[in-house]
Amino acid sequence: MSLAALRSLGLRPVRLNAAQLSTARIRPTCSPKYSRSFKSYPAQHHLTPPATTTTTTAAFATHKHRMIPTDIEKTLAGKYPAKAHAEKVAAFLREAHPEITEGLVYIESQKSILHKDSDQEVEFRQYRPFFYLTGCPLADSYVTYNLASKELTLYIPPIDADSVIWCGLPPTPADALSTYDVDAVRLTTPDLARDLSAASGTVFTYAPEVYPLTHSLSPTASHNTSALKDAVCMARVTKTPYELALMRKANSITTTAFAAAASRISSAKNERELYAAFTERCISGGAPTQAYGGIFAAGTAAATLHYIPNNAPLAGKLNVLIDAGAEVDCYASDVTRVFPLNGKFTKESEQIYSTVLDMQKAVLAELKAGVNWDDMHVLAHRVAIAGLLKIGILRGGSVDEILAARTSTAFLPHGLGHYLGMDTHDPAVGAVARDSASQDPLWRYLRKRGPLEEGCVITVEPGLYFCEFIIRPYLADEKHARFIDESVLDRYWSVGGVRIEDDVVITREGCENLTDVPKEVAEVEAAVGA
């Protein structure tokens, strides 16, 4: 779509702020190091994608067995930077409580849990705040950080002879000290209770963590259960080089998994076959855990944002949406692509796919530290509206009018993206958190608000969906119906939904795209059965 055409639809090259609903100037911001698709955006090409080179089938196929880059493995050869993380958390605590001169941070790991009425253990998932301060995957462990001495101490369970019979020997304190970036390793029994009884100052914990703390805490120490959670969440927003290396590795494995799943599309009969191909490649590539329950949604199921079944037949459907990501040492990737099941998009599917790709490219070209994420969310809606007006699904109004009416939320009901890290939806706190109570549908599901921080990782995942349950009420409301051409819309229900999602690091001057899964129309078409 040309600059002139977009201007005719109400897209103006003006800086967007909190009071304005206009788009911002595009800059050449994305680093090419980990992004195949973004080399530069000439400033005069406002909202116009750069020229692309068609990737051959063989080029996508090379992703199936690619190696983890050596610079990533070199970084990960060191220790997870637990002490740096602990001091980062402490800095946020001191900022919130400047009166603090001494005290203790105390966090428990995930406990071993059995299924109800069973001796089968629940699948273990380490408690993320504990891992952030230790890098330790062990259950039934504890960590303390002394705010005065800056000593980080890990407490691990002693050897249990009965457990050794079934599970083998656990690490000793000496083993753990050589493995993890901590100052000392002690035993949970008897050392933890003894050390807690000698604590002084304020002990900062998460609210549920009461045992053995409350049974051991010195009577001279105070107990704060409100400050630590926010401090840890704020510390986790920006990533260290080690954390970024873990996320690059997760993305690299995810790329091979997408290639494997895409190669099965032409022969598969059921969504579960694509799910199996994806997870097999993650496991064999060194990521046995998925970052979240993957979505393998064919046909109209792609209009369900968090589709769960992953077991429907593929016959008679147009496209399949795959939203999945490998996890490496508690760090996530989160990627979405859409493929035509027969290897070629229909006219309607390609129109929607191209519009979503334009939405993502427009946002990626704008990103840098300090850019307001609210503005980017609005920018995605504006490009969506422009595309739907060109297609003919929307009509009878300008981009500004349709945006003000919130009619575009019928087709893009979710937020543009979210923080990513140890959790797929990494936490946001305070003024930057999602306003779930908002009655404005434009903002209700935006998980992050406000300016982007240098060093944070965020997903950019615009989409357009044709969900009758969501759209029909808009058609019944004259406020929105006057902007929707139902006769044109009827040709698009079978498209289901299109979402394109990448993981990006925000830098001072732009962004670095961690996701290397091809996404141009020719690339994804060529990938089917490759």
Side-chain angles (χ1 to χ4, degrees), residues 155 173 185-197:
Y155 296 85
V185 179
R186 294 167 64 76
L187 296 175
T188 56
T189 306
D191 297 331
L192 179 60
R194 184 182 303 153
D195 292 351
L196 288 174
S197 67

Side-chain angles (χ1 to χ4, degrees), residues 271-513:
E271 294 165 345
R272 59 177 169 259
E273 296 174 59
L274 308 181
Y275 188 12
F278 189 97
T279 54
E280 182 280 329
R281 190 53 51 88
C282 289
I283 294 169
S284 62
T289 302
Q290 293 291 288
Y292 54 97
I295 298 166
F296 297 78
T300 58
T304 300
L305 301 183
H306 287 175
Y307 175 74
I308 295 173
N310 295 336
N311 62 4
L314 301 179
K317 298 170 183 177
L318 295 181
N319 311 309
V320 60
L321 181 151
I322 300 177
D323 181 341
E327 177 181 297
V328 174
D329 292 344
C330 295
Y331 280 80
S333 59
D334 184 0
V335 178
T336 307
R337 294 291 186 266
V338 174
F339 301 91
L341 287 169
N342 70 355
K344 184 71 176 177
F345 283 122
T346 64
K347 174 186 175 182
E348 290 77 13
S349 293
E350 184 174 347
Q351 287 175 323
I352 299 304
Y353 187 96
S354 296
T355 300
V356 174
L357 190 56
D358 286 349
M359 294 160 66
Q360 195 201 47
K361 287 181 176 183
V363 170
L364 285 170
E366 275 292 297
L367 295 182
K368 71 173 184 177
V371 165
N372 194 304
W373 190 240
D374 295 20
D375 295 353
M376 297 299 95
H377 181 63
V378 172
L379 175 59
H381 272 269
R382 295 183 68 87
V383 178
I385 293 167
L388 294 175
L389 281 167
K390 181 179 179 181
I391 292 167
I393 293 174
L394 294 179
R395 65 176 182 185
S398 68
V399 171
D400 287 335
E401 290 170 332
I402 294 171
L403 180 61
R406 303 304 194 240
T407 304
S408 57
T409 61
F411 305 96
L412 174 52
H414 63 74
L416 177 61
H418 50 81
Y419 285 140
L420 184 72
M422 287 190 288
D423 287 305
T424 304
H425 296 155
D426 240 20
V429 296
V432 303
R434 163 184 161 187
D435 182 9
S436 58
S438 174
Q439 298 303 305
D440 187 334
L442 187 68
W443 307 114
R444 186 174 181 187
Y445 297 111
L446 188 61
R447 294 179 182 272
K448 186 264 186 292
R449 305 294 302 269
L452 293 168
E453 302 87 351
E454 181 180 357
C456 76
V457 178
I458 198 161
T459 66
V460 182
E461 50 179 307
L464 290 172
Y465 309 88
F466 297 89
C467 176
E468 293 203 47
F469 180 82
I470 294 174
I471 295 175
R472 290 295 179 192
Y474 284 75
L475 295 174
D477 183 344
E478 181 54 31
K479 173 185 175 182
H480 302 291
R482 66 192 183 96
F483 293 128
I484 303 173
D485 190 329
E486 191 170 355
S487 65
V488 177
L489 174 63
D490 283 342
R491 303 202 304 267
Y492 290 83
W493 296 115
S494 59
V495 174
V498 172
R499 181 166 63 256
I500 302 173
E501 177 180 18
D502 290 348
D503 308 336
V504 302
V505 186
I506 300 302
T507 66
R508 184 174 303 174
E509 298 299 331
C511 69
E512 176 190 343
N513 197 328

